[in-house]
Amino acid sequence: MKKYFLLLLLITATLSSFAQQIIPYSHYQYQKLNKSLYNLNTRFHTSLKPVIGDDTTITAQLDSLLLVGTDRTRNSWVSRKLFNEHLVEINKEDFNVYMDFLPDFQIGRDIEHGITTWLNTRGYQIGGNIGKKFSFYSSGFENQSRFNDYLTRYIDSKNVIPGMVNDKFKDETPRRATKDWAYATAVLNYTANKYFTFTLGHDKNFIGDGYRSMVLSDVSAAYPYFKVTTTLGNVKYMAMWAQFQDPLSPVFSYDNGFRKKWGAFHYLDWNVNNRLSLGFFDSIIWQDADVDGKRGFDVSYLNPIIFLRTVEGMNSSPDNALIGFTAKYKLLRNMTVYGQLALDEFTAKEVFKGDGYWANKSAFQLGLKGFNAFKVPSLNYLVEFNTARPFTYTQRSSLLNYGHYVEALAHPMGANFKEFLTIWNYQLGKWAVSAQANYAQYGLNLSGENFGKDINESYFTRTRDNGYKTGDGLKTNFVYLDGRVSYILNPKYNLRFEAGAIFRQEKNSLLKDKTTMVTFGLRSSFRNIYQDF
C-alpha cells in the first residue's frame, strides 16, 4: 500500500510542475475511480467531464490508471513501447509531449442476420503540456466498418455514424454496406491561475454523475466550443458557448454547408460538504440565421453569469430554453445516490391539472453508484433509472431542438421513454471484465400520430394538446445486454485484446427485431461509443 501511495505522490508532483493534463472522458475508465472520487473523505467536483485543469488530484488518479499492470523491469525499446510506455514520449523541464497510434480492429458476427461485421480503425492521440499554464490534446481516426443490421439501418436512416459524423458515401444509391468516415477532436486548455481555466475545443462535454445525462451528454458528434471554468472554494462554475449543425434543415447554399445553430450553457456545482453536492444548469439553443440570413450569434447570451432564461424572456425571443438540477449524496461509505431533473418549457399550472399537457416537457434521473460491491475490492457498479416525457427536447424545428448532427444532446433515446440500466466492471491486474444491462419502454409514432419520441420531429405535428403519458404510442420494449472480457497490453493508451457479446431486442405488436452478436478485437481508445439504443 505504501508503494502505491508514494507512486501517487510522485505522479501528482510531476503533474503539478505542468499545466494539468486533459484526460479524455470514457465512462468505463472513470468508473474505475469510484473509490477515490466518491468516498466519504473526499470533496471533488465529479459532475463536469472531461477533467481538465484544476482538479489536480483527480487528474493524478486518472493518470495512475495508466500504470496498472506495467512491468518496469522491461529493458528493450520494443517491449517498453508495446507494454509500458507511450509510443513517443518527451519530457523536458518546460514541456512534455506524448503520442500514440490507436488501433481498433474488430471482427464479429451478427448471428440472426447472418452478417460478418468488422471494424478497421487507425487512430492517433497526441497530448501534453507547455509550461505551467497550457495543455493540449488531439485525437483522430480513419475508419471503415461493416456494422450489424440495426446499426446499419440507423446509419442509413439518419446519415450519421453514431456519435461521430456522416458516412462519406451516404449519397450513393444503393447505399454501401461498408461505411467509411473520419473523426477528430482537439482541445487547447489555458489554466490562468487556481481560479480560472479557459478551454477551446472541438470535442464533447458531459454533465452528471451517471452513465446517461439528461442535461448535457456526449452522445452526439463533437462540436466547437469555448468554455470558462471558475473554481472558488467548494463552488465550481462553468460557462460555455458552442456551435452545432443541423443536416436536416434546408441549406442556404452549397458553400454554406449544413445549417448552424448556437448554444450557451451555464452550470454551477456546489459541494455543500463531503457528502452532498448540488448543481444548477441552464441553456439556450438558437438558430444561426433565419431565412434572410441576418441573426447569427446573439451577444445577449455572452454574459457568463446571467440566468439565460431571463435574457430569452427579455428579448421576447423564439429560442429554446432548458433548465436543470443535479445532486449527489454519499449515502454510505461505498455508495452514492445521484440524480438530475431537466425542465423544458415547463408549465406548472398544467402539471397540477394532471391532464397530460404536451408542453410539460421534463426529464428525470435517479441512480446509485459505488465501489467494492459485496466487499470485493475494485468491483464498481452503477444502477440507474432515466425517463423523459413526450416532446422533451423538441422544438418547432430541428434547427432549434436540443440536438446536434441529428442526434441528442441529452439521452440517445430522445423522449417519451423509461429506462433502467446497470453497469458493473472489475479489474484484476491486466484482466478486466465489464457487464451492462438495459431495459427500456418507449412509445413510437402510431397511425401517423406524433407521440413525441423523435426530438427531430416538430412538436407542431402533434394532433392534440392533452392526454400524453410517458410510453404512449406504439408501446415498445427494449432489452440490451453487453458483456466484455479484455486483457490489457498497454494501459498507457488502453491497448487490449477484447472479446465481447451483445444481445439486443426491440419488440412491439408490429415488429420483433433481435440481434445476437459476438466480437473479437485488438482495441485502443478512451472514447464513449454508444450502441445501446
Side-chain angles (χ1 to χ4, degrees):
M1 183 67 187
K2 183 178 180 181
K3 175 179 67 175
Y4 291 111
F5 179 72
L6 292 174
L7 178 61
L8 182 58
L9 288 178
L10 176 63
I11 295 169
T12 304
T14 302
L15 289 173
S16 62
S17 64
F18 296 103
Q20 299 309 310
Q21 290 189 20
I22 300 167
I23 309 294
Y25 175 54
S26 162
H27 180 269
Y28 179 74
Q29 286 293 103
Y30 277 53
Q31 185 167 320
K32 294 179 182 179
L33 290 173
N34 281 356
K35 182 177 180 179
S36 298
L37 301 183
Y38 294 96
N39 71 69
L40 295 178
N41 299 318
T42 61
R43 192 184 297 190
F44 292 128
H45 297 282
T46 56
S47 56
L48 271 173
K49 305 177 182 76
V51 170
I52 297 177
D54 57 342
D55 283 314
T56 308
T57 307
I58 298 179
T59 309
Q61 291 168 338
L62 283 166
D63 196 67
S64 70
L65 288 175
L66 306 182
L67 300 173
V68 174
T70 55
D71 182 359
R72 293 298 173 180
T73 63
R74 299 181 187 274
N75 295 318
S76 73
W77 183 90
V78 173
S79 179
R80 295 198 319 271
K81 295 302 176 182
L82 184 59
F83 297 107
N84 286 1
E85 301 177 359
H86 292 294
L87 180 62
V88 176
E89 195 166 356
I90 303 172
N91 294 298
K92 299 293 184 179
E93 183 177 351
D94 54 352
F95 75 92
N96 68 353
V97 177
Y98 66 88
M99 184 183 302
D100 293 302
F101 171 65
L102 303 180
D104 197 347
F105 305 137
Q106 296 183 65
I107 189 166
R109 185 71 175 173
D110 181 345
I111 297 171
E112 271 78 21
H113 301 93
I115 300 172
T116 297
T117 65
W118 52 270
L119 174 65
N120 177 13
T121 292
R122 292 86 59 209
Y124 76 87
Q125 71 170 3
I126 179 171
N129 308 294
I130 303 173
K132 297 181 179 180
K133 295 183 180 296
F134 284 98
S135 56
F136 61 91
Y137 179 84
S138 177
S139 66
F141 305 88
E142 178 65 31
N143 316 266
Q144 292 80 39
S145 180
R146 177 68 167 98
F147 289 98
N148 60 35
D149 181 72
Y150 84 87
L151 286 176
T152 299
R153 285 187 279 112
Y154 179 91
I155 294 166
D156 289 348
S157 66
K158 293 184 175 290
N159 293 324
V160 63
I161 309 297
M164 286 177 273
V165 73
N166 58 293
D167 178 18
K168 290 180 181 178
F169 303 108
K170 65 183 179 64
D171 296 325
E172 291 193 0
T173 304
R175 294 291 295 260
R176 291 191 181 190
T178 298
K179 309 302 179 184
D180 193 318
W181 74 101
Y183 177 78
T185 69
V187 178
L188 177 63
N189 187 71
Y190 175 67
T191 304
N193 49 47
K194 67 179 182 178
Y195 301 110
F196 289 99
T197 299
F198 303 90
T199 307
L200 180 66
H202 184 92
D203 203 351
K204 306 180 183 185
N205 293 272
F206 188 98
I207 292 177
D209 288 283
Y211 173 65
R212 308 289 201 192
S213 177
M214 311 308 284
V215 293
L216 183 62
S217 77
D218 59 344
V219 168
S220 63
Y223 46 84
Y225 66 88
F226 177 68
K227 180 166 61 175
V228 180
T229 307
T230 304
T231 305
L232 296 171
N234 293 321
V235 173
K236 174 171 279 192
Y237 182 75
M238 180 272 288
M240 182 175 73
W241 300 267
Q243 187 184 64
F244 306 111
Q245 299 192 56
D246 179 29
L248 299 178
S249 295
V251 299
F252 290 140
S253 70
Y254 175 80
D255 293 332
N256 289 331
F258 292 137
R259 296 282 296 278
K260 307 296 191 297
K261 54 184 177 180
W262 293 93
F265 305 83
H266 297 158
Y267 179 66
L268 185 149
D269 186 47
W270 175 30
N271 287 333
V272 181
N273 52 46
N274 280 16
R275 287 183 181 266
L276 177 65
S277 296
L278 301 175
F280 306 90
F281 173 87
D282 70 342
S283 69
I284 290 284
I285 303 291
W286 72 97
Q287 65 184 49
D288 184 48
D290 56 23
V291 291
D292 298 321
K294 292 181 179 179
R295 189 180 185 194
F297 186 86
D298 193 331
V299 296
S300 300
Y301 300 127
L302 272 178
N303 194 315
I305 59 174
I306 200 165
F307 188 49
L308 292 171
R309 186 67 176 87
T310 303
V311 178
E312 190 256 354
M314 291 173 60
N315 290 348
S316 187
S317 76
D319 303 330
N320 181 13
L322 184 144
I323 62 174
F325 307 92
T326 70
K328 77 168 188 261
Y329 185 78
K330 298 172 185 176
L331 193 63
L332 302 174
R333 179 185 57 82
N334 64 340
M335 178 184 293
T336 297
V337 59
Y338 61 89
Q340 293 184 340
L341 175 65
L343 303 177
D344 183 10
E345 293 188 295
F346 190 76
T347 308
K349 66 178 182 179
E350 297 290 347
V351 172
F352 295 111
K353 286 184 179 180
D355 56 2
Y357 184 53
W358 76 274
N360 283 336
K361 302 189 294 183
S362 60
F364 176 75
Q365 176 187 87
L366 182 64
L368 290 171
K369 67 187 307 180
F371 55 92
N372 296 354
F374 310 115
K375 298 183 179 181
V376 178
S378 301
L379 179 57
N380 301 292
Y381 65 92
L382 175 147
V383 180
E384 185 174 291
F385 172 77
N386 302 291
T387 184
R389 276 187 50 78
F391 301 104
T392 306
Y393 311 116
T394 66
Q395 254 292 332
R396 302 186 303 277
S397 72
S398 57
L399 199 55
L400 281 170
N401 73 355
Y402 204 65
H404 164 55
Y405 225 106
V406 192
E407 297 187 297
L409 283 171
H411 197 289
M413 292 183 182
N416 195 21
F417 72 88
K418 298 176 182 178
E419 178 194 43
F420 172 85
L421 66 90
T422 182
I423 300 174
W424 297 71
N425 65 33
Y426 175 72
Q427 183 167 337
L428 181 62
K430 290 198 169 190
W431 287 97
V433 181
S434 66
Q436 176 179 345
N438 300 51
Y439 172 76
Q441 190 174 84
Y442 45 80
L444 300 175
N445 290 352
L446 182 63
S447 301
E449 182 175 355
N450 179 11
F451 283 90
K453 182 181 188 299
D454 186 355
I455 68 168
N456 293 307
E457 190 169 351
S458 171
Y459 56 52
F460 283 151
T461 62
R462 70 186 187 278
T463 58
R464 50 194 166 92
D465 287 341
N466 298 302
Y468 289 102
K469 297 180 181 179
T470 304
D472 279 355
L474 181 58
K475 186 168 293 185
T476 303
N477 294 308
F478 173 87
V479 175
Y480 181 87
L481 305 174
D482 188 322
R484 299 180 185 274
V485 178
S486 59
Y487 181 79
I488 301 171
L489 297 173
N490 191 329
K492 279 286 189 179
Y493 50 100
N494 204 19
L495 182 66
R496 65 199 186 274
F497 287 119
E498 182 179 273
I502 293 172
F503 173 83
R504 177 189 183 272
Q505 181 173 277
E506 189 179 24
K507 183 179 180 181
N508 56 43
S509 60
L510 299 181
L511 67 86
K512 181 179 179 181
D513 183 54
K514 181 180 176 183
T515 299
T516 305
M517 184 175 174
V518 292
T519 60
F520 303 91
L522 175 66
R523 311 195 63 192
S524 175
S525 73
F526 295 101
R527 301 174 293 165
N528 284 331
I529 302 176
Y530 297 96
Q531 299 182 6
D532 51 346
F533 53 84

